[in-house]
Amino acid sequence: MTELIHWSGPPRRPWRARRILPPLAVALLTAGMTLAFAGTANAGTTLGTAAAEKGRYFGAAVGTYKFSDSTYMSIVNREFNSLVAENEMKWDATEPQRGVFNYSAGDRIVSHARANGMSVRGHTLLWHAQQPGWAQNLSGSDLRNAAINHVTQVATHFRGQIHSWDVVNEAFADGGSGARRDSNLQRTGNDWIEAAFRAARAADPGAKLCYNDYNTDGINPKSTAIYNMVRDFKARGVPIDCVGFQSHLGTTLSSDYQANLQRFADLGVDVQITELDVTQGANQANIYAAVTRACLAVSRCTGITVWGVRDCDSWRGGDNALLFDCAGNRKAAYTAVLDTLNGGATPTGNRLRNDASGRCLDVNGASTANGTQMIIWDCHTAANQQFTQNGRALQVMGKCLDAPPSAAAGTRVQIWDCSGAANQQWVVNGNGTISNAQTGLCLDINGASTANGSAVIVWSCHGGANQRWTRA
């Protein structure tokens, strides 16, 4: 399969092809989404609305240098419900001099996204490329300290505004070795990735923390090495929430693409298609559709991002690898993606899965007694996790989700006989939080715990991952 080396740079940056597997036949919200319960789905008329119907986002990489282009911006504002910065949040952009930070361009993208109801992916905190010159000249503990400080400062600045951070980007080597990439960061010690994730969690506990890489679309030595790292991190409690698959594709797609996404999801992390583009040709629309189908088929695939907006904005130049031509017209690949999103099965489950923990809202012990308290637990299909919506009431096992009258921040949520009172009415907000109509407080996992049995309380709404819920 021919895939591409991607340096995540501006559109004019050169690229080259690398053959890593023989050609194979094509086989085949989020912080900004509104949670919906079982019912009739409406066909989305844009990529973002269609993806939201399936509980996912559909985003694009953007650059502020294009914000004055009206054709470009009309597509961005109409089609997408998630944005990621092409270059504006990388190390060379955010810390051009040691200890001197510049967030203006990144802030501009975040501000635009928030004003238009979009979520934001952060890209990227640490990468062997696009480091500022001063960092390139460091090594050893001096570089390690500078890198961790960079992670801390940038993640702290954007705290509460980023749905998912690419904490570390492209740290594994190509080819069949399964080894780490040799870089100045790697030479600071094999635990540098772990250190970066721990620093990011401390700086922004609400953001999902991702590892992101390319040429990992199929099951191959590189993707397996990353899989082993994620499995180790999960076993040792290193904070990792998601894995990004860049999916810079040529004219074929690995037949095990979906299976590869699923094996990572089975480790207990979300998977995201983070930088999708596909060489134009007879197979372009089919490949875009196949990637979209694969994401829809994996319940923990939370969204897709295309790396650019129009063909002439793409880093891949003459490949014409995106969904819109230079005039802003929708291509056949666009129609294939939209039709796939609208044709895919709409989730019919009524579980509420917490974004931070990946676990579901659960009636403790499956008791139906008034006052039984809510917890989170591994998602399953039993009745004590099945919620239906009746007006603003959330009903489970014949009872209603209830915040005790005059509940204060920190009060445990419970079930009780349905009364129709305001303390049993819940508002599903556009950012995925669920607030109580009487108190104005949000459903919250106490202490941002991710463990089975953790208490569900009401707390002041802040939009962190421990307050965001998606339908599962």
Side-chain angles (χ1 to χ4, degrees), residues 329-348:
N329 298 309
R330 301 171 178 89
K331 295 165 58 178
Y334 171 94
T335 303
V337 170
L338 186 63
D339 288 350
T340 302
L341 289 170
N342 284 325
T346 300
T348 58

Side-chain angles (χ1 to χ4, degrees), residues 198-213:
R198 292 192 186 279
R201 174 67 87 228
D204 188 357
K208 286 187 175 289
L209 306 182
C210 305
Y211 176 80
N212 189 55
D213 218 323

